[in-house]
Amino acid sequence: MTAVRISSAVMTHPVRKAQAEELAERLGLGGLALDPDPDGPPSALRTALVAWAAAAPYASHHLVVQDDVSGPDILLDLVSKAVSRFPDEALVFYTNWHARNGSASRLAALAGAAWVRAVPDEFTPSLGVCLPVGVAAEFREYARDSVERHDDELLTRFFRSRGRMGLLAVPNVLEHIGTSSINGHATQGIRLAVCPTDAEDAEPLLRDGWVLEDLDWLPYMRYGEGYVRLAGQENDPDGGRGHHRWQDALPRIGLTEERVRDTVAERMPVDLAADVARVFGAGFAQELWIHCLMLGRQATVALDRHAPEGARSTTAPAHGRLMEAAVSTVGPAGLPPERRPEAGPAQKRLMTEFAWSAIRCGKLLLDR
């Protein structure tokens, strides 16, 4: 096999140049990829094309990191080890805590996996992505004449055109910093990693953890409400970008509303539900619990169907902490963006305890 040689670039805008320089120096990354038209209309893709063109002649793979992240000093070492394991894959080292890919990563963590295949009907998180240099060149050619301004959206279309989505690293060693957005994403509010993980835990997970390839149907939350991504949804006329409320999706996932409601009535802890409702409203409390109930159900299915025997034996302690990290973000991420700042430490602990109470009941929705 060809030896792994990684080059890297930090994509940035002149208004964040100092921040990008500090990041590159601290993490030992390559040079800056500056927006070639900083006074033009906002376009992450414009800068991304500069960053992907910066692959060094010696490189087998190229890592592009955005300027608004923090990461461990050993980031390049972690990426190198992951690339050695998956040399032909597009590897994604950060996933936002909200929407479909975030829920896919959270489900994978609960199932015991350390990598998960990205869904094909949502943007590819692009804060830290590593591609084989040949694939990076193909992406530049694919994107060269595009009118799209979001590199994350075009990455998804590119991967779909190749028939293979990227692999999301479930333990996130990169973290998004700040809520400002040059490209217009500030309305999404606080956006953080779905499974924040320190480098010491991430290393064995990324090296030895198994890959969840098949998600079946996927529960996720959006603006305080629960939804379901259906299997094969990417083939819908709208490219799968529609959102199906969980109640409407039940006939297609083999569940009934009566069964879900009965489980809620019998198992949802009244005191915890009242505490969450007091802060964020009764509607959100119920939606969060039902979402986590379905999440627990699907994690059980994924573990039973797809996990290799003894898959977690060498990473059990780290994976326990990964699961805790995954569940700690489900409540804040599920809130409407304007309410996420209300989730302080006490509220996060409350929502985490509440979420676990539902996840542990997920197996009750399995066929009996």
Side-chain angles (χ1 to χ4, degrees), residues 25 27 58 119 136 141 173 181 195 223 266 274 289 306 324 341 345 365:
E25 181 178 359
L27 300 187
Y58 64 80
V119 301
E141 181 64 25
V173 293
S181 174
C195 301
Y223 299 106
E266 295 169 6
W289 205 85
H306 304 298
E324 292 291 340
L365 295 184

Side-chain angles (χ1 to χ4, degrees), residues 51-216:
W52 288 115
Y58 64 80
S60 63
H61 295 75
H62 190 56
L63 170 69
V64 170
V65 175
Q66 294 188 14
D67 58 15
D68 53 347
V69 301
S70 62
D73 294 344
I74 64 167
L75 175 65
L76 283 176
D77 182 59
L78 292 172
V79 172
S80 179
K81 289 176 179 176
V83 167
S84 294
R85 182 179 177 188
F86 303 110
D88 299 323
E89 295 280 6
L91 301 181
V92 179
F93 291 94
Y94 168 90
T95 303
N96 286 303
W97 64 2
H98 63 293
R100 300 176 223 200
N101 275 318
S103 195
S105 290
R106 190 174 289 114
L107 190 156
L110 291 170
W115 296 88
V116 63
R117 188 69 61 185
V119 301
D121 42 34
E122 185 178 79
F123 65 91
T124 297
S126 57
L127 270 66
V129 178
C130 190
L131 299 179
V133 291
V135 177
E138 289 178 32
F139 175 64
R140 295 200 317 274
E141 181 64 25
Y142 179 89
R144 184 179 57 185
D145 298 320
S146 176
V147 296
E148 175 64 69
R149 65 188 183 94
H150 299 289
D151 63 325
D152 50 9
E153 293 284 1
L154 204 62
L155 278 169
T156 286
R157 292 181 216 162
F158 171 66
F159 293 144
R160 282 182 62 168
S161 75
R162 303 177 84 247
R164 192 171 184 81
M165 298 305 296
L167 277 183
L168 307 177
V170 177
N172 290 165
V173 293
L174 291 176
E175 182 59 281
H176 182 243
I177 57 175
T179 58
S180 65
S181 174
I182 291 171
N183 211 39
H185 294 311
T187 56
Q188 297 179 18
I190 298 170
R191 308 176 301 284
L192 296 175
V194 62
C195 301
T197 308
D198 64 32
E200 185 177 354
D201 278 348
E203 195 275 333
L205 292 168
L206 297 177
R207 183 190 63 224
D208 299 325
W210 61 279
V211 180
L212 178 58
E213 292 275 5
D214 184 6
L215 288 168
D216 193 15

Side-chain angles (χ1 to χ4, degrees), residues 18 35 49 61-62 104 120 132 161 164 175 229 236 285 293 296 335:
D35 186 338
L49 291 177
H61 295 75
H62 190 56
S161 75
R164 192 171 184 81
E175 182 59 281
R229 179 199 177 268
D236 291 352
L293 181 70
L335 287 166

